[in-house]
Amino acid sequence: MAITTLRDVVVLDCPEPGKLADFYARMLGGKVEGEGRWVEVTFDSGALKGRTFAFQEARGYVPPQWPSAERSQQFHLDFYVPREELDAAEREALELGAELLQGDGGERDFRVYRDPAGHPFCLCVE
């Protein structure tokens, strides 16, 4: 039997919550709310409607390295894109400040990136 519930909120530690919130709001089509040490991105429509993506300031934040056993990613986010839109989604993510860590070489259905705070995420073919 469950002892708790999981709400529709994901929280990432980072050095600059507003900056990272802006990155994800622009990438996912959300709205930035708040400022300072805790900033949220909310969604009024689409598949993320009703969910919240939050960013909290972490003093002394050390970004994960991918791949690395010493500074492992802990977790990552997968974002899905239609195959025919994958290249365009990659261009937009890079323009927003993402960094490509591993392309697909035309052989896989995902590409690995790092957000501006260093968290790994993937663009995956839906």
Side-chain angles (χ1 to χ4, degrees), residues 10-64:
V10 173
V11 183
L12 291 179
D13 288 352
C14 61
E16 299 177 80
K19 180 178 177 182
L20 197 56
D22 183 64
F23 170 81
Y24 281 106
R26 293 171 61 197
M27 193 167 88
L28 299 171
K31 179 174 70 171
V32 176
E33 296 183 4
E35 58 183 54
R37 299 189 69 204
W38 180 276
V39 180
E40 296 179 348
V41 175
T42 59
F43 305 90
D44 295 331
S45 62
L48 295 174
K49 183 177 181 176
R51 297 186 185 203
T52 301
F53 205 8
F55 306 89
Q56 68 179 358
E57 180 182 12
R59 293 188 176 111
Y61 172 77
V62 178

Side-chain angles (χ1 to χ4, degrees), residues 75-98:
F75 90 112
H76 73 273
L77 299 164
D78 286 341
F79 300 109
Y80 292 87
V81 181
R83 182 177 300 282
E84 62 276 6
E85 296 176 22
L86 184 59
D87 290 337
E90 175 177 273
R91 281 191 298 277
E92 289 183 43
L94 295 174
E95 287 173 10
L96 291 172

